[in-house]
Amino acid sequence: MKNLLIVFVLFFTLMSCEEKFEKGKYDVQFTVRNTTDEVVNLNVDEISGKIKWEKSLSPGEVYDIKFNIKKDIDISEGGFIFKATFPDGESVEKNSGYFTNYQIGKKNPQHYFITNEGIKDSEER
């Protein structure tokens, strides 16, 4: 009986360690700031359609999107499309790049800025 108890304790310890490892390894954060003087509607879509975020952003407002690729999307490869629509119906888009093996290739967190000319990441700004 004592051996069985030890096996259960080891099993649960290993499972909790794996979950903590996955959490850090596959966590992603996008920060999107509206730098225009207009309210824009932001849509962020994972290209397979598995998950999407929508939010209306006032001028200067920041939207933080935090998720775990492995747990929330559970697709090993894909990408994200950012689309900001202005009140006059015009829109700008940005492809965030690609993720593979449940990991994003770019620096994390990623910062995006909505401008009248497009959506720029922190490296383009």
Side-chain angles (χ1 to χ4, degrees):
M1 186 67 161
K2 186 177 179 180
N3 288 340
L4 187 57
L5 181 61
I6 291 172
V7 169
F8 280 124
V9 168
L10 285 173
F11 175 74
F12 287 116
T13 302
L14 289 174
M15 292 305 290
S16 67
C17 289
E18 181 178 335
E19 186 173 316
K20 288 176 188 173
F21 174 72
E22 285 182 2
K23 181 169 177 26
K25 185 174 181 181
Y26 304 116
D27 281 348
V28 176
Q29 179 180 352
F30 296 140
T31 300
V32 184
R33 178 183 297 273
N34 179 6
T35 63
T36 71
D37 58 359
E38 300 178 279
V39 173
V40 297
N41 291 318
L42 175 68
N43 292 300
V44 181
D45 296 314
E46 195 280 319
I47 59 174
S48 72
K50 185 93 177 190
I51 195 168
K52 72 187 314 186
W53 297 272
E54 298 176 333
K55 181 151 176 76
S56 180
L57 295 174
S58 299
E61 186 176 357
V62 176
Y63 182 38
D64 285 322
I65 302 171
K66 297 176 183 178
F67 61 98
N68 184 285
I69 290 177
K70 190 154 181 109
K71 289 185 180 180
D72 298 325
I73 301 174
D74 197 29
I75 297 173
S76 63
E77 297 181 344
F80 299 93
I81 304 292
F82 291 74
K83 181 179 181 181
T85 305
F86 296 94
D88 63 3
E90 293 291 319
S91 63
V92 291
E93 290 188 13
K94 172 84 174 169
N95 182 337
S96 72
Y98 199 73
F99 66 86
T100 186
N101 294 328
Y102 299 100
Q103 296 180 18
I104 225 112
K106 291 185 175 183
K107 183 174 60 171
N108 191 26
Q110 295 179 32
H111 304 286
Y112 294 93
F113 303 88
I114 300 171
T115 69
N116 291 322
E117 293 79 36
I119 299 174
K120 313 226 184 261
D121 65 28
S122 56
E123 295 172 4
E124 297 172 316
R125 205 153 185 252

